[in-house]
Amino acid sequence: MALTRKPEADRLPISQRIDSRMPNPGRRKMSPTDWAIKGELFLNCSCTVFCPCVVSLGAHPPTEGHCHAWMAIAIDEGHYEGEDLSGLNVGLLVDIPGRMGEGNWKVAAYVDERASGKAYNGILQIFSGQAGGTTGLFTMLVSEIIGAERAPVQITRDGNRRAIQIGRKIQGEIETLAGKDPEHPVMISNSKYWMGPDIIAAKGLRSKVRDYGRVWDFDGMSAEICPIDWKGPKP
């Protein structure tokens, strides 16, 4: 059976690095531009409930000493230099060796296969931090992009549950923690967390990652849901 190769223009070399480290800000390669994303980000990580990185803004060590996570981003509306991003989904595999704020993140990106070429490249610019604005801090935190590709990123938002499926690479489902008032989940509000000020606490139900040599399971581990309103060139 013939193999169908993905267009090379749609892939970043595995060895490509965002060559900017926190101790050496002169090495950043940011080209701030006009973009915006509104929607929702949810994730499941390796910390026990609830992840201390959120309230400490990345200063507290993860409960397991490292932070492994998948992230799902549903873009309800947005653009990159005028190219419509509305309705697209993005998945991230994130490998953080220690405190979140100390950087050295390794990240793989899965961009909705429905994205146009300009939208695909724009999303990679945004999530690598190179587009500046809200995600510009990624140029300081992410030391290596281990891969980027188009993929069937399926996101489901149903009541108090969220789910992502990227083939067999990432399969995750989370559920919000129940509060005293059943109509309102447990929430951290008015934080300085980079994702957004309001974070809904959740936990993993069925959650696993199988890609780039990572074999991670997050059942019962910390999760969160965050409405996002990001933009560039300035946050």
Side-chain angles (χ1 to χ4, degrees), residues 41-71 92-108 141-142 146 193-195 209 214-218 221-224:
L41 183 154
F42 58 95
L43 64 85
N44 197 180
C45 73
S46 53
C47 286
T48 54
V49 180
F50 181 67
C51 176
C53 303
V54 176
V55 178
S56 72
L57 306 180
H60 195 287
T63 64
E64 308 307 298
H66 57 259
C67 188
H68 299 158
W70 56 255
M71 297 183 181
L92 299 176
L93 177 159
V94 183
D95 187 344
I96 304 173
R99 288 180 175 87
M100 183 183 291
E102 293 179 347
N104 201 26
W105 299 16
K106 293 179 174 60
V107 174
L141 297 175
V142 179
I146 57 177
Y193 198 38
W194 69 272
M195 292 182 190
V209 174
R214 274 74 172 175
V215 179
W216 298 339
D217 294 284
F218 302 140
M221 307 308 283
S222 186
E224 55 200 73

Side-chain angles (χ1 to χ4, degrees), residues 19 21-22 28 39-40 60 84 88 99 101-102 106 115 148 162 167 192 196 222:
D19 197 10
R21 312 284 172 81
M22 292 186 73
R28 297 176 188 169
E40 188 177 79
H60 195 287
D84 190 17
L88 298 178
R99 288 180 175 87
E102 293 179 347
K106 293 179 174 60
R162 301 289 186 273
K192 294 182 180 179
S222 186

Side-chain angles (χ1 to χ4, degrees), residues 26-194:
R27 299 174 68 183
R28 297 176 188 169
K29 294 180 180 178
M30 191 188 303
S31 300
T33 190
D34 183 44
W35 63 274
I37 287 178
K38 288 185 179 180
E40 188 177 79
L41 183 154
F42 58 95
L43 64 85
N44 197 180
C45 73
S46 53
C47 286
T48 54
V49 180
F50 181 67
C51 176
C53 303
V54 176
V55 178
S56 72
L57 306 180
H60 195 287
T63 64
E64 308 307 298
H66 57 259
C67 188
H68 299 158
W70 56 255
M71 297 183 181
I73 301 95
I75 303 174
D76 294 327
E77 57 181 280
H79 74 90
Y80 177 82
E81 296 182 335
E83 182 73 7
D84 190 17
L85 304 180
S86 303
L88 298 178
N89 298 325
V90 181
L92 299 176
L93 177 159
V94 183
D95 187 344
I96 304 173
R99 288 180 175 87
M100 183 183 291
E102 293 179 347
N104 201 26
W105 299 16
K106 293 179 174 60
V107 174
Y110 308 87
V111 179
D112 198 316
E113 61 184 357
R114 299 171 297 162
S116 68
K118 184 174 181 179
Y120 175 86
N121 290 317
I123 286 171
L124 292 184
Q125 291 295 305
I126 292 170
F127 285 94
S128 68
Q130 292 174 291
T134 309
T135 57
L137 78 170
F138 284 172
T139 60
M140 297 184 290
L141 297 175
V142 179
S143 64
E144 182 178 358
I145 295 178
I146 57 177
E149 61 187 83
R150 291 179 181 275
V153 183
Q154 299 177 10
I155 287 178
T156 303
R157 293 181 283 175
D158 183 14
N160 62 347
R161 292 193 177 190
R162 301 289 186 273
I164 182 172
Q165 179 158 359
I166 307 174
R168 303 180 119 184
K169 297 178 179 178
I170 297 179
Q171 300 175 63
E173 183 177 14
I174 65 173
E175 183 178 52
T176 60
L177 301 182
K180 183 177 180 180
D181 181 346
E183 297 298 321
H184 298 282
V186 176
M187 175 181 286
I188 296 167
S189 60
N190 194 36
S191 78
K192 294 182 180 179
Y193 198 38
W194 69 272

